[in-house]
Amino acid sequence: QVQLVESGGGLVQPGGSLRLSCAASRSIGSAYTMGWYRQGPGAQRELVATITFIGSTNYADPVKGRFTISRDKAKNTVSLQMSSLKPEDTAVYYCNAALGPFNFWGQGTQVTVSS
């Protein structure tokens, strides 16, 4: 079993920046695709961004140009740099690691964008 632990959430004003980090409890293998998802109030969980083992990235349209995903395979971490934050980015952000039938989730970290 792999545990993913997120950190870096908090309260930020519109237009501000935050950096989320996710650390795996053990080596999960670089073949996993890692990503970030979010779930806003009353909404379903949705994709934010993913990064494959070769570094290919994919972003949801609402965050393109504002968020950047990166990973450190040696440290088993994935990060999400969020800039130009908007109130609609308010959500619980979840870290994910996936490979075939294996799918691991973190416990989530709250991001609130409000003045």
Side-chain angles (χ1 to χ4, degrees), residues 74-94:
K75 295 183 179 180
N76 297 302
T77 60
V78 62
S79 298
L80 185 69
Q81 179 66 46
M82 305 185 293
S83 303
S84 302
L85 283 162
K86 305 175 181 180
E88 50 264 43
D89 294 318
T90 294
V92 178
Y93 284 71
Y94 296 91

Side-chain angles (χ1 to χ4, degrees), residues 54-78:
I54 59 171
S56 296
T57 58
N58 178 51
Y59 295 93
D61 286 343
V63 308
K64 283 181 179 177
R66 300 188 298 121
F67 291 10
T68 302
I69 189 171
S70 60
R71 71 187 287 179
D72 186 327
K73 288 182 283 186
K75 295 183 179 180
N76 297 302
T77 60
V78 62

